[in-house]
């Protein structure tokens, strides 16, 4: 019997984002903290705010954000998604932002039932500005692999 692998969006996101307790600038120069959060307690992250976040607080915050992101995706995608597809999309949308996903070809392809073509869209989101970022390319390949991983019935 083949065992299904079910991926967890919090684990996937935290693996890619990594944890930093102090504010830092991401590859685009945006101030972030924790697991890539641009806001903390309702305020924009800056060089000096917050001074520090704990791993446990960041993990809890990530769980809340991942759940919220998954619900937003489910409200936009008009076809049924399996858990791996939702996990991959949650990681993707957490990284690129909901507004970018709303206007994406990926969403249009999903909603028209073109699953394989939608999967191919992950690899087009590997840039920060005009430059390919190796870390983003690796992330997109992993998200695509998770999206394409079937679940046993």
């Amino acid at each position: 019997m083949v065992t299904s692998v079910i991926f967890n969006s919090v684990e996937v996101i935290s693996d890619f984002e990594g944890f930093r307790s102090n504010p830092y600038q991401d590859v685009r120069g945006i101030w972030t903290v924790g697991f890539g959060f641009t806001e903390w307690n309702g305020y924009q992250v800056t060089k000096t705010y917050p001074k520090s976040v704990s791993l446990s607080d960041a993990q809890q915050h990530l769980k809340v954000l991942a759940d919220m992101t998954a619900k937003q995706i489910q409200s936009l995608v008009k076809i049924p998604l399996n858990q791996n597809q939702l996990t991959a999309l949650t990681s993707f949308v957490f990284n690129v932002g909901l507004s970018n996903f709303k206007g994406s070809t990926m969403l249009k392809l999903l909603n028209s039932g073109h699953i394989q073509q939608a999967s191919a869209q992950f690899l087009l989101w590997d840039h920060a500005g005009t430059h390919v970022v190796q870390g983003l390319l690796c992330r997109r390949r992993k998200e695509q692999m998770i999206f394409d991983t079937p679940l046993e019935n």
Side-chain angles (χ1 to χ4, degrees):
M1 174 185 272
V2 176
T3 304
S4 294
V5 175
I6 300 174
F7 294 91
N8 176 301
S9 58
V10 170
E11 291 174 13
V12 172
I13 294 168
S14 63
D15 283 349
F16 279 114
E17 295 289 345
F19 171 73
R20 304 219 28 225
S21 61
N22 301 317
Y24 64 97
Q25 288 180 296
D26 70 7
V27 296
R28 299 167 297 156
I30 296 172
W31 286 101
T32 60
V33 73
F35 295 105
F37 309 133
T38 57
E39 291 184 6
W40 187 256
N41 290 332
Y43 297 97
Q44 185 173 342
V45 174
T46 67
K47 182 178 183 177
T48 58
Y49 178 83
K51 184 173 179 141
S52 179
V53 300
S54 71
L55 177 59
S56 62
D57 286 347
Q59 288 170 326
Q60 183 59 36
H61 189 60
L62 180 56
K63 288 176 187 173
V64 170
L65 289 178
D67 184 56
M68 182 178 67
T69 301
K71 288 176 182 171
Q72 292 169 326
I73 291 165
Q74 289 173 312
S75 74
L76 294 171
V77 176
K78 305 304 179 198
I79 63 165
L81 297 169
N82 71 36
Q83 184 59 48
N84 287 343
Q85 291 167 331
L86 184 58
T87 293
L89 289 171
T90 300
S91 173
F92 177 77
V93 172
F94 180 87
N95 185 245
V96 304
L98 186 65
S99 61
N100 287 325
F101 180 65
K102 281 181 179 179
S104 71
T105 300
M106 179 188 285
L107 179 59
K108 291 174 187 147
L109 289 167
L110 284 169
N111 284 335
S112 63
H114 296 98
I115 305 301
Q116 289 180 330
Q117 291 170 321
S119 174
Q121 292 290 306
F122 282 103
L123 301 181
L124 301 178
W125 293 77
D126 63 352
H127 286 69
T130 59
H131 305 320
V132 173
V133 176
Q134 190 61 38
L136 286 177
L137 180 57
C138 290
R139 182 177 187 151
R140 299 302 173 242
R141 286 178 179 155
K142 176 79 174 200
E143 289 165 343
Q144 182 184 45
M145 184 276 302
I146 292 169
F147 185 89
D148 292 339
T149 300
L151 297 176
E152 262 184 34
N153 293 333

